[in-house]
Amino acid sequence: MTLPVVGAGPPSTFVAPDDPLRDRFARQVRYLRVSVTDRCNFACTYCVPDDGIAHRPRAELCTFEELERIVAVFAALGVRRLRLTGGEPTVRAGFVELAGRLRRVPGIDEVVLTTNGHRLPELARPLADAGVAGANVSLDTLDPARFAALTSGGDVTRVIAGIDAALAAGLAVKLNAVALAGVNDDELAALCRFAWARGVVMRFIEHMPLSSGALYDRGRELSAAAIRDHLATEVGALEPSDRERGIAGPARYWRLVDAPAREVGIISAMTEHFCDACNRVRLTADGQLHACLGHDDAVNLRDVVRAGGSDDDLARAIAWSVHGKREGHEFQRSGGGAPTKHMIAMGG
Ligand code: SAM
Ligand code: SF4
């Protein structure tokens, strides 16, 4: 069959390598991020362009069955860990059921999610019961007015209640903040203390210029070095932590010299990028497999399923995508080289 693809699909001459999840640069894909919706109950300034995005019609989203099928093929190829994201994953109708179904796909050992936390007060316990192991919760500021402005109406007290509900339900929690000058750089220490008081790690993310570099926060980016400088001044001297990188994610961890149990992570995709160790690919809600966050290339796996493709066809399309995984992203802090795609559709 001819594979229906977005971008360049596998030519008939393409022979999938023995290990379809090993790319041309000898990087091994171990981890699949699945965006289950491109919709969100927030609209964070650093994520959504001012004029919004064109949401995919419902009929274009992968159904639960299509997602199970695609995930099962990834699992057969060796992926063991899934992260469910969005948009905001918890706004997808039936999300708890979906999480449980994906957790039960043979071969999948761990399902975690990335969420803005708004729905965790109600959903943390059902998600834990469905087999979800952890939640990374976005928390950029503790100030209610600032939070509402940054997220377009979000309620930080609800998110904090969601974080506490997640901890009470036994989920492994990490907190994430995009660090931005003039937005939350005066709160980096307060966010760390908030996290440490709950025994969890705080992670700061360097802003990435998706949406063709057109996001509102362009120009407010803080580099990893600037984040470390802030923290060293405001919370104390830091030293590298030996917390494992890799399968656990791209963050580099630091700990307080005077209190080593207090750790902070920095995800520095821009100034200290980690492309050489990248182990992930991303599936959008409409089934596009993106091998790199920093490029628009994608292969549409949903179309393979809807065209009646076999599991072998899906594996071949996955292999083609992984084969095409770029050596690294090319975006600059100025926005140059940024992909046209939007973070809200990619899920981080
Ligand atoms: N709605 C969920 C949330 O906010 O956690 C999941 C999707 S969100 C796109 C995933 C992560 O991407 C969040 O931690 C968010 O802070 C981060 N993010 C969004 N836009 C970003 C950008 N331009 N640069 C860096 N990180 C970004
Ligand atoms: Fe929504 Fe998450 Fe993007 Fe904020 S970062 S707009 S919560 S998808």
Side-chain angles (χ1 to χ4, degrees):
M1 64 176 286
T2 306
L3 291 168
V5 294
V6 175
S12 55
T13 50
F14 174 65
V15 179
D18 288 345
D19 183 350
L21 295 184
R22 194 170 175 81
D23 77 6
R24 289 173 298 148
F25 306 98
R27 294 172 299 193
Q28 189 73 33
V29 171
R30 298 178 188 284
Y31 169 40
L32 175 66
R33 297 178 68 102
V34 182
S35 169
V36 301
T37 176
D38 61 359
R39 292 173 192 271
C40 186
N41 44 1
F42 292 177
C44 300
T45 54
Y46 50 70
C47 181
V48 187
D50 284 348
D51 49 357
I53 69 158
H55 293 291
R56 296 280 135 226
R58 197 173 166 71
E60 288 190 20
L61 300 189
C62 290
T63 63
F64 290 7
E65 289 72 23
E66 287 167 343
L67 285 172
E68 279 175 321
R69 170 104 188 274
I70 291 168
V71 165
V73 172
F74 270 102
L77 296 176
V79 164
R80 297 283 167 264
R81 187 166 194 263
L82 298 182
R83 177 169 297 279
L84 306 183
T85 178
E88 173 48 38
T90 60
V91 304
R92 172 102 189 227
F95 177 66
V96 174
E97 180 198 338
L98 174 62
R101 284 170 67 164
L102 295 179
R103 175 66 187 84
R104 290 192 295 276
V105 169
I108 294 298
D109 293 339
E110 188 176 80
V111 172
V112 293
L113 63 140
T114 296
T115 173
N116 63 30
H118 180 85
R119 299 204 65 210
L120 283 181
E122 306 83 47
L123 295 186
R125 174 67 59 189
L127 283 166
D129 291 345
V132 169
N136 287 359
V137 184
S138 297
L139 181 69
D140 297 305
T141 169
L142 297 165
D143 180 87
R146 199 180 262 189
F147 190 88
L150 192 66
T151 58
S152 309
D155 175 359
V156 73
T157 56
R158 231 188 115 74
V159 172
I160 292 171
I163 291 165
D164 290 334
L167 289 167
L171 297 179
V173 172
K174 295 193 196 99
L175 302 183
N176 288 330
V178 178
L180 294 165
V183 175
N184 62 358
D185 54 342
D186 56 346
E187 279 191 86
L188 305 191
L191 287 165
C192 286
R193 292 194 185 101
F194 173 90
W196 294 337
R198 287 163 170 77
V200 305
V201 68
M202 185 73 222
R203 311 191 312 169
F204 296 106
I205 306 174
E206 281 185 349
H207 180 271
M208 285 174 262
L210 272 72
S211 304
S212 309
L215 292 170
Y216 159 85
D217 293 292
R218 195 175 143 190
R220 300 172 194 253
E221 307 94 334
L222 282 179
S223 66
I227 295 167
R228 284 195 296 273
D229 285 350
H230 267 280
L231 294 171
T233 308
E234 289 157 33
V235 296
L238 298 173
E239 62 184 9
S241 148
D242 43 17
R243 183 191 274 253
E244 193 193 355
R245 266 182 75 203
I247 190 82
R252 291 185 174 88
Y253 288 93
W254 303 78
R255 63 186 175 206
L256 282 186
V257 172
D258 291 340
R262 300 189 157 191
E263 285 187 302
V264 56
I266 301 180
I267 301 176
S268 52
M270 301 300 295
T271 62
E272 297 167 9
H273 73 75
F274 35 78
C275 300
D276 57 339
C278 183
N279 62 3
R280 60 206 52 212
V281 292
R282 294 167 167 85
L283 187 72
T284 61
D286 60 348
Q288 296 178 37
L289 184 65
H290 290 247
C292 176
L293 184 58
H295 293 276
D296 282 325
D297 314 331
V299 174
N300 197 313
L301 301 183
R302 180 211 61 199
D303 288 350
V304 177
V305 173
R306 291 190 184 175
S310 65
D311 286 358
D312 283 348
D313 293 326
L314 271 174
R316 191 159 174 275
I318 292 167
W320 177 243
S321 176
V322 171
H323 177 74
K325 187 171 168 70
R326 310 289 189 104
E327 189 169 14
H329 67 70
E330 285 152 18
F331 44 51
Q332 315 291 320
R333 295 188 69 199
S334 63
T340 63
K341 64 193 184 191
H342 305 295
M343 190 64 101
I344 188 169
M346 297 308 307

